[in-house]
Amino acid sequence: MRLLVLGAGFSGRAIAQTFKSAGFSAAGTTRSADKAAALQALGIVPLVYDGEAISSQLAACMRETTHLVQSIAPGKSGDPLFRPGVMPLLDLMPNLQWAGYLSTVGVYGDHKGAWVDEDTPIHPVSTRSVERVGAENRWLAFSAESGVPVAVLRLAGIYGPGRNALRNVAEGTARRLIKKDQVFNRIRVEDIGGSALFLAQGGHGGIFNITDDEPGPPQDVVAEAARLMGAEMPPEIPFETAELSPMARSFYGENKRVSNAKIRSLGFTFRYPNYRMSLAQMLTDDVWGG
């Protein structure tokens, strides 16, 4: 079994490592040769790919690929594997048995704090979420046309070793941003890897929310991290007066509680179902720094 991850960043690396632990060989792409060594050190075969030209080395890897995970953002031109001029996917990957597409719960848009699941009508607001919907639809159409199962993994806010509230508290960058009734879901990066492997091994296709069990106010996560570390509590900052990038501010324009019941109903168990036990584990095992 051969896995190829297109876009082996934070989530893609975790997926590759999880598949490797199950006996897969794993290759992953990065945009620059500078980052290839980091993949190599993890036992992931590195390939340079910018989402445009497919090198002879990548083409050779694609021909052997049995399982694919696509993590590259689509952009205005759509998903890189379905752009004009690109060979049909099954010509590129004749041995493909399953594919996973990493999307975002941002496609649901704002539901004013209400619960959403995979059957909830989507109302993407941001340009990046609209583009994700287009890519999701293209992948699902490919699945229907080819018979190859494709799982669309709609991911909540990603965190894990090296990228978490504990590290923010330790580095003095943590903020308790307060917006009335705002909640977010989140997902530990190892659970992204575990859910992708589960769906691949079961040959499952369709749309799946990959998120923790417990949506909650973002300031509560920061407070819990500070408590665990015995650090001074970061001050509260009203959302209205906070200095935020346009992208960060846009996240707060969407408020929803995302259900993960669908994948759990298939038998998948999340290792880190809530942020409290997850932060505590990272601190106890001293992996929070990455």
Side-chain angles (χ1 to χ4, degrees):
M1 298 288 97
R2 297 179 180 272
L3 170 72
L4 173 62
V5 179
L6 297 179
F10 190 58
S11 298
R13 289 193 302 271
I15 291 170
Q17 289 177 282
T18 304
F19 274 66
K20 274 175 56 61
S21 71
F24 284 71
S25 65
T29 71
T30 181
R31 294 180 63 88
S32 70
D34 293 342
K35 297 179 180 178
L39 296 179
Q40 188 78 57
L42 296 172
I44 302 166
V45 176
L47 298 159
V48 177
Y49 177 52
D50 62 0
E52 299 293 340
I54 296 174
S55 68
S56 58
Q57 293 90 344
L58 178 55
C61 181
M62 286 179 164
R63 287 192 292 272
E64 301 298 322
T65 293
T66 59
H67 293 71
L68 172 72
V69 169
Q70 210 311 50
S71 180
I72 299 173
K76 294 180 181 179
S77 301
D79 190 279
L81 292 183
F82 295 109
R83 291 172 184 168
V86 178
M87 287 177 60
L89 187 54
L90 286 185
D91 289 347
L92 287 169
M93 304 184 198
N95 294 300
L96 189 64
Q97 299 175 17
W98 177 89
Y101 179 70
L102 302 191
S103 187
T104 169
V105 297
V107 300
Y108 292 108
D110 181 31
H111 289 264
K112 303 187 185 307
W115 282 95
V116 301
D117 61 23
E118 292 84 352
D119 294 324
T120 300
I122 58 176
H123 301 290
V125 176
S126 68
T127 299
R128 62 184 179 278
S129 292
V130 171
E131 292 169 349
R132 286 287 185 187
V133 171
E136 284 187 4
N137 290 338
R138 190 64 191 86
W139 276 101
L140 292 172
F142 162 76
S143 182
E145 295 159 4
S146 66
V148 175
V150 173
V152 172
L153 286 69
R154 290 178 175 167
L155 308 179
I158 304 164
Y159 75 104
R163 186 184 297 183
N164 56 74
L166 295 167
R167 183 164 180 173
N168 294 342
V169 168
E171 295 177 350
T173 60
R175 298 189 294 175
R176 286 194 296 152
L177 213 60
I178 309 298
K179 184 180 181 186
K180 181 175 167 51
D181 298 327
Q182 179 75 47
V183 295
F184 290 117
N185 285 77
R186 49 202 58 83
I187 184 67
R188 179 81 175 254
V189 70
E190 292 95 332
D191 275 334
I192 298 174
S195 61
L197 178 64
F198 173 85
L199 293 169
Q201 290 181 324
H204 297 294
I207 297 171
F208 299 91
N209 293 330
I210 309 301
T211 176
D212 63 359
D213 294 348
E214 189 177 321
Q219 65 269 22
D220 288 5
V221 181
V222 176
E224 178 65 5
R227 186 190 70 79
L228 286 169
M229 298 194 84
E232 184 177 347
M233 191 65 64
E236 293 187 352
I237 301 174
F239 170 77
E240 292 74 17
T241 59
E243 293 184 7
L244 295 171
S245 69
M247 178 175 287
R249 190 165 291 275
S250 73
F251 287 131
Y252 279 79
E254 300 177 9
N255 189 15
K256 53 190 168 285
R257 290 172 166 83
V258 184
S259 169
N260 61 16
K262 181 178 178 180
I263 191 169
R264 286 192 293 107
S265 74
L266 296 177
F268 180 69
T269 300
F270 288 87
R271 288 172 60 191
Y272 304 101
N274 65 70
Y275 68 86
R276 289 182 304 279
M277 62 89 66
S278 180
L279 291 175
Q281 179 273 329
M282 282 193 283
L283 188 62
T284 299
D285 293 351
D286 195 25
V287 297
W288 59 273

